Amino acid sequence: MLERTFTIKEWTEALKKLRSFYRVFAPFKEGDFHSFREFDGSGSPDFNFGNTRLSAKALIYPQSERMFDYTLDEKNPDVNLYKEAVKDLSPQAIVGIRPCDVKGFRLMKRNFDNEEYRDPWWVQRFESTILVGFGCNDPCPTCFCTSVGGGPFNEEGLDVIAYNLGERFVLRALTEKGEVFLAKAEGDTGPGEDERRKMEELKRSSVEKISSRVATDQLKLKEVNALFSAPFWEETAFSCINCGTCTFFCPTCWCFDIQDEVFGKEGDRLRNWDSCMFPLFTLHGSGHNPRENKVQRVRQRFMHKLKYYVDKYNDGVQCSGCGRCVRYCPVNIDIREVAEKMNSY
Amino acid sequence: MERYTEKIRERARDLLESGKVDVFIGYSKGSVPMMNRPALIREPREVNKLLWDNHCALNLCNYLTKRTEKIGIIANGCNSRNIVTHILENQIKREQLYIVGIPCEGMVDHRAVARAVGQRDILAVEGLGEEFLVKGKDFEERFTKQTFLQRNCVTCRHHNPVIYDEMIGEPVEEGELPNGYADVEAIEGMSSDKKWAFFAQLISRCIRCYACRNACPLCYCPTCFVDESKPQWVGKSSDPTDTMTFHLLRAYHCAGRCTDCGACERVCPVGISMRQFTRKLNKDGETFFSWEAGLTLEKRPPLDTYRPDDYNDFIK
Ligand code: SF4
Ligand code: SF4
Ligand code: SF4
Ligand code: SF4
Ligand code: SF4
């Protein structure tokens, strides 16, 4: 497969060229943290980061998406008809995504692209996206990707993998899509012997730097009702304030809510991210709420990720080990500890 | 400050053992540096989880709402003021509480610390006195606490609890403050357009996670206006108009009640300084009603008081 090397400057120039073929999204440092932004050709993306604060989830699955629009105007022949809203589904490249966040998309695919359902917009966006992953030289202290089937240089799901060797970036295509992308990027040929050695060294040392290990091997064997009624939920949930941080930041949380918004006679049907941590998530039209207290809601989040998903798909947990929920939970509820409790219960 | 940790544990143990309280609410050490975890202690043998350090900046009053047991709780200045407000608003009864008062020396701004070490990964933050030590994989840096205080602590005028059953330390001196509202005045001086642009920019990264709302003890409505669906007051998408509506209304709902404890600002996962809204209302409360929230159980707050001799015409 095609390999190319770039200096940082050359790489920024290459991204400028690639803008003729793709909408290019890359990490930019704004204030205290990095976020994915569309590269408009000015400024330079910054590839020296742990991970972006929010994952790249929104680039395929926007926080708010206009699905349809409609009119309530009786004089309009199209009255009360839902029409698909215009969306930009043109090719895009997510450059600088971490392997855990790519894994997030793979897990999310289960929900949006399976034998029963194919979500048209998620699928189209996903299929028109090139994932140019950057391996993690220095995984964060909260990362535990290697405990959940990933790794800092894991190539699964990536179209291109990049090694950040400090002065130079080495990129290698992993799929045909990636090959086309890299061919368009032009630039130098592959790495020399010396660089290859450095790449191998990075791959090895990065795995060793991961300090968090989480055991999940027993989850599948546990009895679901026993875990559900385990005594530790109350204590686990005490500090939770039921915000949207853990689920909105999570690259694998997929839940949404559908809302109609009408202004005058014109209406939109929107799909917004939702969260099982919000009381509204399960509120019935009747006023009854089957998950009316926070202990139930906290339990749902962990049971979904670490038990229901495990049982249903038989392919590990619904978590890529990115560590965001651990880092940003304002009251320090730590999925690593909860997984440990569940696994050893 | 370390001395307070020991005292807190001692007092919690006594209170639980003697049956004076059924549960004790305090802070415990989190798994991430500077992120303490509020804890509910039921058994005397668990009291060693409790601690007091530079990172106890979530508002524990948030965990009192509508509880029914007898509760021991630690409270510094701002937390105690929220407890007063909670009692006034019938969210908890004074008789239910045993308040262990702590003279507060201010909390450390975790974002400022991360900035000071260039956003490198922090593995531990140690030290409780005037200085603290930040450790990473290949660095160690020492900082002076005074220059890393949370912004609300810098302008705080009530470090000592205003209500308590016992104090576990000598009150700290409430020093003279320079103008605590300089930032609000700067915004007041802007044109309407500039103000709008300022606030739109301030909240532009908001993801509507509601951590700010939920970390605040004042926000206890059974159904928040943003969650109402009949009628629906505000849209639920990430449209800037709806996000602004959320912020403005949340702030107004805190008018005359906010103690500037800083919990809302501390918890925002994208670092928005939404205290800029509530601080304007706090300033107005002082200017127009000589009112600071949560200082006394003897007086009703200005916004739930009616006086026939009110000098304002609009109210008559
Ligand atoms: S676990 Fe933490 S981040 Fe998640 S809802 Fe609770 S308080 Fe928010
Ligand atoms: S559950 Fe937490 S650690 Fe796992 S993928 Fe989601 S945010 Fe990352
Ligand atoms: S954890 Fe909650 S928000 Fe995330 S996918 Fe599961 S049910 Fe949905
Ligand atoms: S609005 Fe913010 S500063 Fe004011 S009481 Fe609530 S959490 Fe504290
Ligand atoms: S905590 Fe921050 S991101 Fe969340 S709703 Fe409040 S301002 Fe917005």
Side-chain angles (χ1 to χ4, degrees), chain A residues 79-343:
Chain A
V79 62
N80 294 341
L81 283 182
Y82 284 110
K83 293 188 167 172
E84 192 175 336
V86 184
K87 296 177 186 59
D88 189 351
L89 303 168
S90 61
Q92 60 178 5
I94 307 180
V95 181
I97 187 170
R98 296 296 189 200
C100 55
D101 291 343
V102 173
K103 174 149 184 166
F105 286 132
R106 275 212 308 120
L107 297 182
M108 213 178 273
K109 198 169 188 307
R110 287 249 149 73
N111 189 55
F112 288 115
D113 184 10
N114 54 45
E115 277 170 16
E116 255 175 294
Y117 305 102
R118 292 200 86 209
D119 182 273
W121 307 300
W122 194 94
V123 169
Q124 285 177 76
R125 274 210 191 81
F126 188 68
E127 287 178 351
S128 62
T129 300
I130 308 265
L131 297 169
V132 183
F134 270 59
C136 297
N137 299 2
D138 287 297
C140 311
T142 41
C143 293
F144 55 99
C145 54
T146 46
S147 296
V148 291
F153 280 85
N154 193 356
E155 298 180 350
E156 213 175 341
L158 279 64
D159 295 301
V160 177
I161 183 147
Y163 288 78
N164 183 347
L165 301 182
E167 298 298 295
R168 289 166 80 77
F169 295 156
V170 180
L171 281 85
R172 179 191 299 146
L174 301 168
T175 61
E176 260 167 54
K177 251 170 148 179
E179 188 97 11
V180 173
F181 174 88
L182 217 46
K184 285 181 176 146
E186 300 174 1
D188 237 338
T189 49
E193 272 316 301
D194 200 33
E195 280 165 330
R196 254 181 231 291
R197 247 197 317 278
K198 278 193 194 145
M199 286 158 71
E200 282 313 306
E201 172 56 23
L202 269 184
K203 234 168 134 167
R204 198 187 52 74
S205 64
S206 63
V207 172
E208 284 167 9
K209 283 181 192 161
I210 291 186
S211 48
S212 295
R213 305 229 185 293
V214 184
T216 57
D217 55 315
Q218 302 295 312
L219 291 169
K220 176 98 188 149
L221 307 171
K222 303 282 167 195
E223 214 253 297
V224 66
N225 285 329
L227 268 187
F228 187 88
S229 0
F232 51 72
W233 293 117
E234 181 118 5
E235 195 193 342
T236 303
F238 172 72
S239 68
C240 180
I241 58 171
N242 273 168
C243 67
T245 305
C246 51
T247 46
F248 284 5
F249 276 53
C250 179
T252 78
C253 271
W254 57 49
C255 288
F256 58 78
D257 175 37
I258 291 176
Q259 291 267 326
D260 276 8
E261 285 186 9
V262 179
F263 183 70
K265 290 193 167 354
E266 306 307 313
D268 286 333
R269 176 155 285 195
L270 300 164
R271 172 162 78 183
N272 301 318
W273 288 354
D274 203 351
S275 166
C276 59
M277 304 310 269
F278 296 155
L280 203 59
F281 188 78
T282 43
L283 183 66
H284 293 182
S286 67
H288 171 63
N289 195 340
R291 276 185 223 133
E292 63 180 351
N293 67 52
K294 81 171 168 191
V295 180
Q296 296 167 323
R297 294 193 282 273
V298 169
R299 173 174 59 196
Q300 160 62 22
R301 171 165 165 251
F302 292 114
M303 284 294 276
H304 185 213
K305 291 192 168 303
L306 303 172
K307 182 60 183 164
Y308 307 144
Y309 182 94
V310 173
D311 288 354
K312 184 164 175 187
Y313 299 110
N314 201 17
D315 183 29
V317 293
Q318 188 211 17
C319 165
S320 71
C322 76
R324 285 189 182 82
C325 59
V326 178
R327 256 175 124 91
Y328 303 115
C329 170
V331 299
N332 188 249
I333 291 180
D334 188 330
I335 191 172
R336 297 171 301 179
E337 288 173 17
V338 182
E340 216 54 77
K341 278 187 198 163
M342 291 171 70
N343 197 60

Side-chain angles (χ1 to χ4, degrees), chain B residues 8-254:
Chain B
I8 289 168
R9 292 176 182 172
E10 212 180 283
R11 294 308 299 130
R13 186 179 298 112
D14 281 358
L15 290 165
L16 286 164
E17 273 172 358
S18 66
K20 263 203 175 142
V21 303
D22 304 319
V23 295
F24 193 92
I25 297 178
Y27 301 92
S28 65
K29 187 150 189 62
S31 60
V32 172
M34 303 187 278
M35 289 295 181
N36 284 347
R37 185 185 301 172
L40 179 90
I41 307 290
R42 291 179 189 278
E43 303 291 336
R45 64 184 149 77
E46 296 172 329
V47 297
N48 286 343
K49 285 186 189 162
L50 294 167
L51 65 77
W52 183 259
D53 64 11
N54 286 333
H55 316 291
C56 296
L58 293 161
N59 195 322
L60 294 183
C61 178
N62 202 24
Y63 297 95
L64 288 179
T65 312
K66 303 229 157 74
R67 288 198 84 97
T68 49
E69 18 7 9
K70 282 186 286 172
I71 308 160
I73 187 167
I74 55 177
N76 59 352
C78 52
N79 282 220
S80 75
R81 291 171 61 199
N82 279 101
I83 293 175
V84 167
T85 305
H86 246 44
I87 296 168
L88 282 175
E89 296 178 1
N90 301 321
Q91 295 309 304
I92 196 81
K93 290 199 187 76
R94 178 67 184 96
E95 310 79 80
Q96 272 175 273
L97 300 178
Y98 190 95
I99 304 168
V100 177
I102 298 192
C104 182
E105 284 152 35
M107 295 297 149
V108 162
D109 178 347
H110 63 100
R111 294 188 192 93
V113 176
R115 232 170 271 142
V117 298
Q119 307 293 341
R120 283 174 296 173
D121 286 326
I122 296 172
L123 298 177
V125 176
E126 294 166 3
L128 302 154
E130 316 245 293
E131 287 198 331
F132 61 93
L133 180 70
V134 180
K135 290 184 182 166
K137 208 163 36 202
D138 35 29
F139 67 92
E140 274 195 18
E141 290 191 40
R142 207 168 267 287
F143 297 108
T144 315
K145 177 173 168 183
Q146 277 310 309
T147 48
F148 281 88
L149 289 179
Q150 285 196 170
R151 276 174 290 195
N152 62 305
C153 300
V154 174
T155 51
C156 174
R157 280 173 292 191
H158 305 281
H159 295 80
N160 297 300
V162 299
I163 185 178
Y164 52 82
D165 293 288
E166 66 177 281
M167 283 282 277
I168 62 163
E170 285 303 309
V172 290
E173 225 177 288
E174 304 288 358
E176 276 302 302
L177 264 192
N179 179 5
Y181 285 118
D183 55 336
V184 179
E185 277 161 17
I187 302 167
E188 285 169 344
M190 294 177 185
S191 66
S192 295
D193 287 350
K194 275 241 171 77
K195 272 182 202 154
W196 186 257
F198 172 85
F199 285 113
Q201 173 64 30
L202 183 80
I203 60 163
S204 60
R205 298 173 104 171
C206 176
I207 55 164
R208 298 278 291 278
C209 71
Y210 300 137
C212 51
R213 176 194 68 182
N214 295 6
C216 176
L218 304 176
C219 286
Y220 52 68
C221 292
T223 307
C224 174
F225 74 96
V226 294
D227 293 333
E228 287 275 5
S229 48
K230 257 182 165 185
Q232 182 150 342
W233 305 102
V234 51
K236 290 181 171 47
S237 76
S238 46
D239 188 291
T241 307
D242 294 315
T243 304
M244 184 63 92
T245 308
F246 159 60
H247 278 284
L248 289 174
L249 268 88
R250 184 192 81 90
Y252 273 98
H253 288 181
C254 299

